[in-house]
Amino acid sequence: MKKYVLDLKVVSNEHINEKYVLVKLTHDETLPPMLPGQFVEVRVDDSPATFLRRPISINFVDEERNQLWLLVAAVGEGTRHIAQLKSGDTLNCMLPLGNAFTMPKPQKRVLLVGGGVGVAPLLYFGKKLKEQGFEPTFLLGARSAGDLLMLDEFRKYGEVCTTTEDGSAGERGFVTNHSVLNGQPFDQISTCGPKPMMMAVARYAKEKGIYCEASLENLMACGLGACLCCVEKTTDGNLCVCKEGPIFDVNRLLW
């Protein structure tokens, strides 16, 4: 897909909780096509400590409003600066980057598993699945109830199951402990989140013989495969996640 470098205008910057913000962006012209699972590289201006662009998953694309949504965890200098943007500000983005989740075959049962800010790319995928006639199931995990993100948005596109480590919402434990996994088997799983969580989901999928894809969150400084910051060991050798991924069949990963 063709890549663009665009100055996008901030429509709104919604503080979901003390850590996460939802930045909605638009452009004077129609936004370029984007696929679920792809990401953008954001330039952080006016931040002397931030030299490189920051990779952020495409959370959602609202074609009717010509908006791109980015779910951002304000954990470092760069992302904290993004969290302070106001309506009318400009954010320079290189997009769309990377590959996309695989669309399942008709009549397949699809499970989308996310944890923390890793839930971000699953919302747009859920939307696209719904448009194609699927009824995806979302399995979203967090440490506590306050860390579960955008549940009302996810419920627009499928059943939402949740787990929390402290039991404050949904079922207590990790996503791989949820009772939904004990029911009718799924045909395809897509996952994104902390690496230990994705590794556990991958083990479950392999044990059950289910096709599974993981969206990796390696440090991606350039987004083009030039800087070699995001190399991952695979069955095909060392690959740049930003160029060959971020979506990988888990059977290719040497976890």
Side-chain angles (χ1 to χ4, degrees), residues 133-180:
F134 295 93
E135 291 290 338
T137 297
F138 298 97
L139 177 51
L140 309 177
R143 292 181 179 176
S144 63
D147 298 316
L148 290 168
L149 306 172
M150 306 182 73
L151 296 184
D152 288 341
E153 292 293 334
F154 282 105
R155 292 188 181 107
K156 295 178 182 179
Y157 306 109
E159 178 187 7
V160 175
C161 304
T162 60
T163 66
T164 51
E165 294 177 28
D166 63 3
S168 56
E171 297 186 13
R172 180 188 292 273
F174 301 114
V175 289
T176 47
N177 304 131
H178 198 282
S179 59
V180 72

Side-chain angles (χ1 to χ4, degrees), residues 5 22 35 45 52 62 74 86 89 98 112 126 139 141 168 192 244:
V5 178
L22 178 61
L35 301 174
D45 297 325
L52 302 172
D62 187 332
K86 297 178 175 59
D89 287 344
L112 309 184
L139 177 51
S168 56
C192 184
E244 304 296 334

Side-chain angles (χ1 to χ4, degrees), residues 3 7 40 74 114 138 146 184 191 199 220 225 249:
K3 299 174 178 59
D7 284 326
V40 305
F138 298 97
Q184 183 179 349
T191 184
M199 292 176 70
M220 295 180 279
D249 177 340

Side-chain angles (χ1 to χ4, degrees), residues 231-253:
V231 168
E232 181 77 21
K233 294 180 179 180
T234 76
T235 55
D236 301 310
N238 293 336
L239 299 178
C240 288
V241 171
C242 68
K243 186 177 180 181
E244 304 296 334
I247 313 300
F248 286 88
D249 177 340
V250 297
N251 290 311
R252 297 179 66 194
L253 300 172

Side-chain angles (χ1 to χ4, degrees), residues 27-166:
H27 194 257
D28 292 337
E29 299 181 8
T30 302
L31 290 169
M34 289 172 267
L35 301 174
Q38 292 185 305
F39 67 99
V40 305
E41 285 277 356
V42 175
R43 189 181 72 202
V44 183
D45 297 325
D46 302 320
S47 176
T50 308
F51 301 103
L52 302 172
R53 288 179 179 264
R54 292 297 185 261
I56 301 178
S57 297
I58 293 172
N59 174 226
F60 192 77
V61 179
D62 187 332
E63 290 91 353
E64 292 183 3
R65 293 182 173 84
N66 196 39
Q67 290 182 1
L68 164 65
W69 297 7
L70 301 179
L71 181 62
V72 181
V75 295
E77 175 69 23
T79 49
R80 283 196 295 267
H81 189 84
I82 295 171
Q84 296 171 0
L85 292 171
K86 297 178 175 59
S87 177
D89 287 344
T90 297
L91 192 63
N92 183 272
C93 297
M94 182 165 58
L95 77 167
L97 301 173
N99 62 356
F101 289 114
T102 299
M103 190 63 66
K105 295 180 180 179
Q107 309 301 318
K108 298 297 184 180
R109 297 188 73 235
V110 186
L111 178 66
L112 309 184
V113 186
V117 75
V119 305
L122 303 182
L123 180 62
Y124 188 35
F125 192 26
K127 177 191 182 223
K128 290 300 183 182
L129 287 168
K130 185 77 170 180
E131 291 174 350
Q132 295 297 317
F134 295 93
E135 291 290 338
T137 297
F138 298 97
L139 177 51
L140 309 177
R143 292 181 179 176
S144 63
D147 298 316
L148 290 168
L149 306 172
M150 306 182 73
L151 296 184
D152 288 341
E153 292 293 334
F154 282 105
R155 292 188 181 107
K156 295 178 182 179
Y157 306 109
E159 178 187 7
V160 175
C161 304
T162 60
T163 66
T164 51
E165 294 177 28
D166 63 3

